[in-house]
Amino acid sequence: MRRNGAPAMTGIGAVLIAVLLAMLAPLAASAQELGGMARLAGPVTLEAGWRSLSVSVPLNQAVPWRTRLLADPPRAVVDFRTLDWGDMDPATVPLQGAATALRVGNAGGGWTRLVIELDRPMGFSQAGMATNPETGAAQLTLSLSPLTDAAFAEQATALAATDGVPGEGVLHGGATRLPLGQRPTRVVLDPGHGGVDPGATHEELREADITLTFARELAETLHRTGRYEVVLTREDDSFLSLENRITVAHEANADLFLSIHTDSLEDGQAVGATLYTLAAAASDAASAALAERHDRDDLMGGGVDLSGTDDAVATVLMDLARAETRPATDRLARTLVAAIDGAELRMHRHPWQQAAFSVLKSPSVPSALLELGFLSSEQDRARLRDRRWRVQMERAVVAGIDAWVEAEAAQQALRLR
Ligand SMILES: [Zn+2]
């Protein structure tokens, strides 16, 4: 376990948060709520990179949007909710790189559509709508990168299944993704410590070994359900920085991030499992430093584009993005605690706690840290060594994650209505 600094409270007014969130989350608000019909605020532009193609669409205000891929010929499609194209003539947009044609039109159900025809299979590698907090103007920026025929066929087919169903597309590290519950849920498991960092130790027991064993077994259990895709941040006894662990979650485009640890206390009284989620920290120095060291766009998982915003704004936006995943994170904590408790596995007397762990500072991925027990407790050590106990705990975690996916799917359905 690693504790980084003390929790602090955020002081931003709820109204301001609601307004900004409405602008940041394309699917959280309808254009009507944002006032008036959205329109283009400048020319649509295409720009070819070495192998990539980027598209930018300037708008006078943020609107809900979604992306999808269609086959024969390969096409990248972007739908905007109630956007007025005005007298925009797609023929005036200079074609670049892989783009062979550009069309705009009505997609039905209140959606307007931009179609970019491509001469090769490509997929969305990044997508984000940035909003200027002062003017309210927005810009959608998309990047397309080459895909193999097989990868394109898979993505295009999966998305075509939702074609014509308004509001079905959901953001995904940039591109469209089916809602939770209608596709495998991607879980990143993070076995704490490793390599030069053994974590807590007791005689021959090392936290780094226990967390790796548990994470491997849990990955296997999740995998066997057929409902999960699992990525481990480390697969062996190697050292990984906290930031690298977060980066794995973003690169894997995780739906949820679960870090596995065991605790240890000097006085040896504490027993049982504890679940930690991140305490809110509006101006937290660690998150600001983290934002500094990373490509911000990358850190945000493509959900919010922070390029071109100054540091103060970037900090507020990061915190808001975290506020957006916060309800999902809280639901994750509740379903996991309920499942572990429901399996009559020993939990700490404060089963859900909040702390400022660096490893949980993953703004766009709901994240939790599970302390399986205390290495300082003889009972807990016996449980952690016992394969049958671990199987029970692993099943309980799977049940908790199952319940979370169900809750999230219900929430997404509400938002998309
Ligand atoms: Zn630890």
CSV table of all heavy atoms in Angstrom, one decimal, residues 221-252:
chain,number,residue,atom,x,y,z
A,221,THR,N,-10.7,-16.3,-13.6
A,221,THR,CA,-12.1,-16.4,-13.2
A,221,THR,C,-13.0,-15.5,-14.0
A,221,THR,O,-14.0,-15.9,-14.5
A,221,THR,CB,-12.3,-16.1,-11.7
A,221,THR,OG1,-11.3,-16.9,-11.0
A,221,THR,CG2,-13.6,-16.6,-11.2
A,222,LEU,N,-12.5,-14.3,-14.2
A,222,LEU,CA,-13.3,-13.3,-15.0
A,222,LEU,C,-13.4,-13.8,-16.4
A,222,LEU,O,-14.4,-13.7,-17.1
A,222,LEU,CB,-12.6,-11.9,-15.0
A,222,LEU,CG,-12.8,-11.1,-13.7
A,222,LEU,CD1,-11.8,-9.9,-13.6
A,222,LEU,CD2,-14.2,-10.5,-13.7
A,223,HIS,N,-12.2,-14.2,-17.0
A,223,HIS,CA,-12.1,-14.7,-18.3
A,223,HIS,C,-13.1,-15.8,-18.6
A,223,HIS,O,-13.8,-15.8,-19.7
A,223,HIS,CB,-10.7,-15.1,-18.6
A,223,HIS,CG,-10.4,-15.0,-20.1
A,223,HIS,ND1,-10.0,-13.8,-20.6
A,223,HIS,CD2,-10.4,-15.9,-21.1
A,223,HIS,CE1,-9.8,-14.0,-21.9
A,223,HIS,NE2,-10.0,-15.2,-22.2
A,224,ARG,N,-13.2,-16.8,-17.7
A,224,ARG,CA,-14.0,-18.0,-17.9
A,224,ARG,C,-15.5,-17.6,-18.0
A,224,ARG,O,-16.2,-18.4,-18.6
A,224,ARG,CB,-13.8,-19.0,-16.7
A,224,ARG,CG,-12.6,-19.9,-17.0
A,224,ARG,CD,-12.7,-21.2,-16.1
A,224,ARG,NE,-12.9,-20.8,-14.7
A,224,ARG,CZ,-11.9,-20.8,-13.9
A,224,ARG,NH1,-10.7,-21.0,-14.2
A,224,ARG,NH2,-12.1,-20.5,-12.6
A,225,THR,N,-15.9,-16.5,-17.5
A,225,THR,CA,-17.3,-16.1,-17.6
A,225,THR,C,-17.7,-15.8,-19.0
A,225,THR,O,-18.9,-15.9,-19.3
A,225,THR,CB,-17.7,-14.9,-16.7
A,225,THR,OG1,-17.0,-13.8,-17.3
A,225,THR,CG2,-17.3,-15.0,-15.3
A,226,GLY,N,-16.7,-15.5,-19.8
A,226,GLY,CA,-17.0,-15.1,-21.2
A,226,GLY,C,-17.5,-13.6,-21.3
A,226,GLY,O,-17.8,-13.2,-22.4
A,227,ARG,N,-17.6,-12.9,-20.2
A,227,ARG,CA,-18.1,-11.6,-20.2
A,227,ARG,C,-17.1,-10.5,-20.1
A,227,ARG,O,-17.3,-9.3,-20.2
A,227,ARG,CB,-19.2,-11.4,-19.1
A,227,ARG,CG,-20.4,-12.3,-19.1
A,227,ARG,CD,-21.4,-11.9,-18.1
A,227,ARG,NE,-21.0,-12.2,-16.7
A,227,ARG,CZ,-21.1,-13.3,-16.1
A,227,ARG,NH1,-21.6,-14.4,-16.8
A,227,ARG,NH2,-20.6,-13.5,-14.9
A,228,TYR,N,-15.8,-11.0,-19.9
A,228,TYR,CA,-14.8,-10.0,-19.6
A,228,TYR,C,-13.5,-10.2,-20.4
A,228,TYR,O,-13.1,-11.3,-20.8
A,228,TYR,CB,-14.3,-10.1,-18.1
A,228,TYR,CG,-15.5,-9.7,-17.2
A,228,TYR,CD1,-16.3,-10.6,-16.6
A,228,TYR,CD2,-15.7,-8.3,-16.9
A,228,TYR,CE1,-17.4,-10.2,-15.8
A,228,TYR,CE2,-16.8,-7.9,-16.1
A,228,TYR,CZ,-17.6,-8.9,-15.6
A,228,TYR,OH,-18.6,-8.5,-14.8
A,229,GLU,N,-12.9,-9.0,-20.8
A,229,GLU,CA,-11.6,-9.0,-21.3
A,229,GLU,C,-10.7,-8.4,-20.2
A,229,GLU,O,-11.0,-7.4,-19.7
A,229,GLU,CB,-11.5,-8.1,-22.5
A,229,GLU,CG,-12.3,-8.6,-23.7
A,229,GLU,CD,-12.5,-7.6,-24.8
A,229,GLU,OE1,-12.1,-6.4,-24.6
A,229,GLU,OE2,-13.0,-7.9,-25.9
A,230,VAL,N,-9.6,-9.2,-19.9
A,230,VAL,CA,-8.8,-8.7,-18.8
A,230,VAL,C,-7.4,-8.4,-19.2
A,230,VAL,O,-6.8,-9.2,-20.0
A,230,VAL,CB,-8.8,-9.8,-17.7
A,230,VAL,CG1,-8.1,-9.3,-16.4
A,230,VAL,CG2,-10.2,-10.3,-17.3
A,231,VAL,N,-6.9,-7.3,-18.7
A,231,VAL,CA,-5.5,-6.9,-18.9
A,231,VAL,C,-4.8,-6.8,-17.6
A,231,VAL,O,-5.4,-6.2,-16.7
A,231,VAL,CB,-5.4,-5.6,-19.7
A,231,VAL,CG1,-4.0,-5.1,-19.9
A,231,VAL,CG2,-6.1,-5.7,-21.1
A,232,LEU,N,-3.6,-7.4,-17.4
A,232,LEU,CA,-2.9,-7.2,-16.2
A,232,LEU,C,-1.8,-6.1,-16.4
A,232,LEU,O,-1.2,-6.1,-17.4
A,232,LEU,CB,-2.2,-8.5,-15.7
A,232,LEU,CG,-3.1,-9.7,-15.3
A,232,LEU,CD1,-2.2,-10.9,-15.0
A,232,LEU,CD2,-4.0,-9.3,-14.2
A,233,THR,N,-1.6,-5.2,-15.4
A,233,THR,CA,-0.6,-4.2,-15.5
A,233,THR,C,0.8,-4.8,-15.5
A,233,THR,O,1.7,-4.3,-16.1
A,233,THR,CB,-0.7,-3.1,-14.4
A,233,THR,OG1,-0.7,-3.8,-13.2
A,233,THR,CG2,-2.0,-2.3,-14.6
A,234,ARG,N,0.9,-5.9,-14.7
A,234,ARG,CA,2.2,-6.7,-14.8
A,234,ARG,C,1.9,-8.2,-14.7
A,234,ARG,O,0.9,-8.6,-14.1
A,234,ARG,CB,3.2,-6.3,-13.7
A,234,ARG,CG,2.7,-6.6,-12.3
A,234,ARG,CD,3.7,-6.2,-11.2
A,234,ARG,NE,3.2,-6.4,-9.9
A,234,ARG,CZ,3.5,-7.5,-9.1
A,234,ARG,NH1,4.3,-8.5,-9.6
A,234,ARG,NH2,3.1,-7.7,-7.9
A,235,GLU,N,2.7,-9.0,-15.5
A,235,GLU,CA,2.4,-10.4,-15.5
A,235,GLU,C,3.4,-11.2,-14.8
A,235,GLU,O,3.3,-12.4,-14.7
A,235,GLU,CB,2.4,-10.9,-17.0
A,235,GLU,CG,1.6,-10.0,-17.9
A,235,GLU,CD,0.4,-10.7,-18.6
A,235,GLU,OE1,0.2,-11.9,-18.2
A,235,GLU,OE2,-0.2,-10.1,-19.5
A,236,ASP,N,4.4,-10.5,-14.3
A,236,ASP,CA,5.5,-11.2,-13.6
A,236,ASP,C,6.0,-10.3,-12.4
A,236,ASP,O,5.4,-9.2,-12.2
A,236,ASP,CB,6.6,-11.6,-14.5
A,236,ASP,CG,7.2,-10.4,-15.3
A,236,ASP,OD1,6.9,-9.2,-14.8
A,236,ASP,OD2,7.8,-10.5,-16.4
A,237,ASP,N,7.1,-10.7,-11.8
A,237,ASP,CA,7.6,-10.0,-10.6
A,237,ASP,C,8.5,-8.8,-11.1
A,237,ASP,O,9.7,-8.8,-10.9
A,237,ASP,CB,8.4,-10.9,-9.7
A,237,ASP,CG,8.8,-10.2,-8.4
A,237,ASP,OD1,8.1,-9.3,-8.1
A,237,ASP,OD2,9.8,-10.7,-7.8
A,238,SER,N,7.9,-7.9,-11.8
A,238,SER,CA,8.7,-6.7,-12.3
A,238,SER,C,8.1,-5.4,-11.7
A,238,SER,O,7.0,-5.4,-11.3
A,238,SER,CB,8.6,-6.7,-13.8
A,238,SER,OG,7.3,-6.7,-14.3
A,239,PHE,N,9.0,-4.4,-11.7
A,239,PHE,CA,8.6,-3.1,-11.1
A,239,PHE,C,7.9,-2.3,-12.2
A,239,PHE,O,8.2,-2.3,-13.3
A,239,PHE,CB,9.9,-2.4,-10.6
A,239,PHE,CG,9.6,-1.0,-10.1
A,239,PHE,CD1,9.0,-0.8,-8.9
A,239,PHE,CD2,9.8,0.1,-10.9
A,239,PHE,CE1,8.7,0.4,-8.4
A,239,PHE,CE2,9.4,1.4,-10.5
A,239,PHE,CZ,8.9,1.5,-9.2
A,240,LEU,N,6.9,-1.6,-11.7
A,240,LEU,CA,6.1,-0.8,-12.6
A,240,LEU,C,5.7,0.5,-11.8
A,240,LEU,O,5.2,0.4,-10.7
A,240,LEU,CB,4.8,-1.5,-13.0
A,240,LEU,CG,4.0,-1.1,-14.3
A,240,LEU,CD1,4.9,-1.3,-15.5
A,240,LEU,CD2,2.8,-1.9,-14.4
A,241,SER,N,6.0,1.7,-12.4
A,241,SER,CA,5.7,2.9,-11.7
A,241,SER,C,4.2,3.1,-11.6
A,241,SER,O,3.4,2.5,-12.4
A,241,SER,CB,6.3,4.1,-12.4
A,241,SER,OG,5.6,4.4,-13.6
A,242,LEU,N,3.7,3.9,-10.7
A,242,LEU,CA,2.3,4.2,-10.5
A,242,LEU,C,1.7,4.7,-11.8
A,242,LEU,O,0.6,4.4,-12.3
A,242,LEU,CB,2.0,5.1,-9.4
A,242,LEU,CG,2.4,4.5,-8.0
A,242,LEU,CD1,2.3,5.6,-6.9
A,242,LEU,CD2,1.5,3.3,-7.6
A,243,GLU,N,2.4,5.7,-12.4
A,243,GLU,CA,1.9,6.3,-13.6
A,243,GLU,C,1.8,5.3,-14.8
A,243,GLU,O,0.9,5.3,-15.6
A,243,GLU,CB,2.8,7.5,-14.1
A,243,GLU,CG,2.6,8.7,-13.2
A,243,GLU,CD,3.8,9.5,-13.1
A,243,GLU,OE1,4.6,9.5,-14.0
A,243,GLU,OE2,4.0,10.1,-12.0
A,244,ASN,N,2.8,4.4,-14.8
A,244,ASN,CA,2.7,3.3,-15.9
A,244,ASN,C,1.5,2.5,-15.7
A,244,ASN,O,0.9,2.0,-16.7
A,244,ASN,CB,4.0,2.5,-15.9
A,244,ASN,CG,5.1,3.1,-16.6
A,244,ASN,OD1,4.9,4.0,-17.5
A,244,ASN,ND2,6.3,2.8,-16.2
A,245,ARG,N,1.1,2.2,-14.5
A,245,ARG,CA,-0.1,1.4,-14.2
A,245,ARG,C,-1.3,2.1,-14.8
A,245,ARG,O,-2.2,1.5,-15.4
A,245,ARG,CB,-0.2,1.1,-12.7
A,245,ARG,CG,0.9,0.3,-12.2
A,245,ARG,CD,0.9,0.2,-10.7
A,245,ARG,NE,2.1,-0.3,-10.2
A,245,ARG,CZ,2.4,-1.6,-9.9
A,245,ARG,NH1,1.5,-2.5,-10.0
A,245,ARG,NH2,3.6,-2.0,-9.5
A,246,ILE,N,-1.4,3.4,-14.5
A,246,ILE,CA,-2.6,4.2,-15.0
A,246,ILE,C,-2.5,4.2,-16.6
A,246,ILE,O,-3.6,4.1,-17.2
A,246,ILE,CB,-2.5,5.6,-14.5
A,246,ILE,CG1,-2.7,5.6,-13.0
A,246,ILE,CG2,-3.6,6.5,-15.1
A,246,ILE,CD1,-2.5,7.0,-12.3
A,247,THR,N,-1.3,4.4,-17.1
A,247,THR,CA,-1.2,4.4,-18.6
A,247,THR,C,-1.7,3.1,-19.2
A,247,THR,O,-2.3,3.1,-20.2
A,247,THR,CB,0.3,4.6,-19.0
A,247,THR,OG1,0.7,5.8,-18.3
A,247,THR,CG2,0.5,4.8,-20.5
A,248,VAL,N,-1.4,1.9,-18.5
A,248,VAL,CA,-1.9,0.7,-19.0
A,248,VAL,C,-3.4,0.7,-19.1
A,248,VAL,O,-4.0,0.3,-20.1
A,248,VAL,CB,-1.4,-0.5,-18.1
A,248,VAL,CG1,-2.2,-1.8,-18.5
A,248,VAL,CG2,0.1,-0.7,-18.2
A,249,ALA,N,-4.1,1.2,-18.1
A,249,ALA,CA,-5.5,1.3,-18.1
A,249,ALA,C,-6.1,2.1,-19.2
A,249,ALA,O,-7.0,1.8,-19.9
A,249,ALA,CB,-6.0,1.9,-16.7
A,250,HIS,N,-5.4,3.3,-19.5
A,250,HIS,CA,-5.9,4.1,-20.6
A,250,HIS,C,-5.6,3.5,-21.9
A,250,HIS,O,-6.5,3.6,-22.8
A,250,HIS,CB,-5.2,5.5,-20.5
A,250,HIS,CG,-5.8,6.4,-19.4
A,250,HIS,ND1,-7.1,6.9,-19.5
A,250,HIS,CD2,-5.3,6.7,-18.2
A,250,HIS,CE1,-7.3,7.6,-18.4
A,250,HIS,NE2,-6.3,7.5,-17.6
A,251,GLU,N,-4.4,2.9,-22.1
A,251,GLU,CA,-4.1,2.3,-23.4
A,251,GLU,C,-5.0,1.1,-23.7
A,251,GLU,O,-5.3,0.8,-24.8
A,251,GLU,CB,-2.6,2.0,-23.5
A,251,GLU,CG,-1.8,3.2,-23.7
A,251,GLU,CD,-0.3,2.9,-23.8
A,251,GLU,OE1,0.1,1.8,-23.5
A,251,GLU,OE2,0.4,3.9,-24.0
A,252,ALA,N,-5.4,0.4,-22.6
A,252,ALA,CA,-6.3,-0.7,-22.8
A,252,ALA,C,-7.7,-0.3,-23.0
A,252,ALA,O,-8.6,-1.1,-23.2
A,252,ALA,CB,-6.2,-1.7,-21.6
